[in-house]
Amino acid sequence: MSAGRNIRGAPIYATSTEPPAEGELYRTLEIEGVTLDIFYGYYDPERERGVLEPMPIFPDFQNDPTYTELGYMLVNADGDVCEHFSPKAEGSEEGWCNDCRYLELHDTCLGVCRCEQNRKNE
Amino acid sequence: MEYITVKQAAEKWGISARRVQVLCAQDRIKGVTRFGRSIMIPKDAPLPTAEQSEKNAPLPMPRKSPFLNMTDLYTRPGSAEEAIEALSDMPEAQTLFAAEIAYSRGEIDKVIEHASEFLQSHSGFYAVNAGGMLLALAAMWKGDISLYRQAKIHICEAPWKTPADKQIMSLSLACIDSAVRDTSNYPEWFERGQFEHLHPDSHPAAKVFYIKYLMIKAQEMAKGAFKLPDVTGLGLMKTIPYIAEPLISRVVAERVVIPEIHLRLITAAVYHQIGDDESAVMHIDKAIDLALPDRLFGILAEYRRNLDTVLDDRLILKDKDAFSATKELHRTMLASWIKLHNSLHSRNISSALTVREREISRLAAFGLSNMEIAKRLNISVSTVRKIILTAMNKTGTDKRRDLGAFV
């Protein structure tokens, strides 16, 4: 569930500015038959613990590939682009999946890759 | 006739010994004589005024501060109440000083009450100017645009008599505007730094205004709001300590507490933003030690945003109650300040970003790469990417460099 919309009308997924507790449930995502519980924590526990507020910890789909019922790949929006990358806007600054026009974002750092070449064949 | 040496004259006038020698060589000091190789200067010789072209006309840098809390009235931490009491024979000055201390403590309702009373009962230039400024800054804390504009009108209508008064007026208005990130109205001489920063009589508040102005300008430049040839915003920021540190030394020598707190916190913010947290912490610690005795949490709250968590970390170590009070004041102030800022400008500062998101967004806007940000903050690149994406989502921007407009 989004926490409202940003100034361009896109849903805001992040919650309030109060720091959440580690291990607290951020949200449950349901994407084409795949259910994901996302919890707060630290990505780099050794370095980040005690530094500041924890963040939603998204699954690492690069190491644990996950596909929807329709065969589309779940991706981390901050992950490196693949060979089928097609920028959604000119002059994309970072080589992230977030810059790819095939990415359908479902949360700040998680989405579905709608590229047919990455689709899992049944 | 009594004579003094070059070194003694330099100390007396607050300039370098080399400068005194040059003035002597130019025959600009009356009565100078030589004894062997020594230059002897009459003890009561005045410092010659600088000759300047019409374009660079001498700046009558206001010698009289409109702010009593920035003068020798308040030279010892913990003496605020004593100083207020000492003004009991001068009720006007007492009201103004009480309002200024209330502002430094973050007691905004008291500020508005005192400043309004002051403005109703006094019509002298310095009174109106100081009262108007306090009211404007209080309005900023309240997010009240109508009060903000009313306060500026008070200042504009202050009965100035001399060019120096007019300069104080224009500087006061510019300072109020810069508090909401508008630095377009500073007088040209101020922007060029053409005033005697280090003169013993110079306006202590102007030192604060100047360093704050430099910091805001450098931040705006670093975030891409404007460009200068061959200079980066971060490069400009790195020069600020070279200007600020001598000013700090000057106010320490003059023993004016409130300008010292402001200057130290602004300089600490600059050090933090250029990545030198060690120097930042040194200044923060000293500022906290000065602020705690009289509970001047309002000043600490004012700079908390620019210091991310560095100020919090040091405050928690020294005084947990002070940390809680400062944090609460800052929370109230920030919401109001953002509301006022967004009412006045077309850009929207985001109130939804967390401290970490804001800090990383600022660094991204400064042009640092993800790797550089990760290294500076001692976190992983992956985490930096995720935080930037979250900030981009919250602010609705597609490019990481555009995040600067929202922090």
Side-chain angles (χ1 to χ4, degrees), chain A residues 6-8 10-18 43-44 47-48 51-53 55-56 58 76-80 88-96 98-99 105 107-109, chain B residues 309 327 331 348 351-357 359 369-370 374-375 377-390 392-402 406:
Chain A
N6 65 20
I7 59 169
R8 295 190 185 180
I12 296 174
Y13 298 108
T15 52
S16 74
T17 56
E18 290 300 317
Y43 276 98
D44 192 347
R47 292 158 89 188
E48 292 159 33
V51 174
L52 263 184
E53 66 267 12
M55 319 165 48
F58 295 96
N76 300 103
D78 59 301
D80 293 329
K88 62 184 174 190
E90 277 188 33
S92 296
E93 294 169 6
E94 303 279 341
W96 307 349
N98 191 56
D99 285 337
L105 208 58
D107 201 297
T108 53
C109 301
Chain B
T309 58
K327 185 178 169 188
R331 191 187 61 78
N348 282 312
S351 58
L353 298 178
T354 64
V355 174
R356 185 57 114 189
E357 287 163 5
E359 185 178 13
S369 68
N370 291 340
K375 194 174 167 191
L377 300 179
N378 196 29
I379 56 177
S380 61
V381 173
S382 169
T383 304
V384 172
R385 281 181 167 188
K386 287 173 173 60
I387 291 174
I388 287 178
L389 282 175
T390 306
M392 284 165 65
N393 169 261
K394 283 186 180 179
T395 55
T397 183
D398 295 328
K399 293 188 173 49
R400 71 199 277 289
R401 193 160 171 103
D402 292 343
F406 299 95

Side-chain angles (χ1 to χ4, degrees), chain B residues 49-50 52-66 125-126 160-171 187 189-190 194-197 199 201-204 206:
Chain B
T49 54
Q52 297 188 9
S53 66
E54 198 175 311
K55 184 181 174 187
N56 302 321
L59 298 165
M61 192 59 235
R63 297 297 190 233
K64 189 174 167 183
S65 172
F125 171 75
Y126 278 96
W160 62 272
K161 290 178 186 168
T162 65
D165 290 349
K166 207 158 179 220
Q167 285 183 345
I168 290 184
M169 184 198 292
S170 65
L171 196 52
W189 57 265
F190 185 85
Q194 287 185 297
F195 58 95
E196 297 175 78
H197 308 79
H199 194 284
D201 289 343
S202 73
H203 193 329

Side-chain angles (χ1 to χ4, degrees), chain B residues 140-161:
Chain B
M140 188 181 74
W141 283 61
K142 287 283 188 185
D144 187 338
I145 191 169
S146 157
L147 184 63
Y148 179 80
R149 286 183 172 142
Q150 192 189 329
K152 287 180 76 175
I153 290 170
H154 275 299
I155 297 175
C156 292
E157 291 178 349
W160 62 272
K161 290 178 186 168

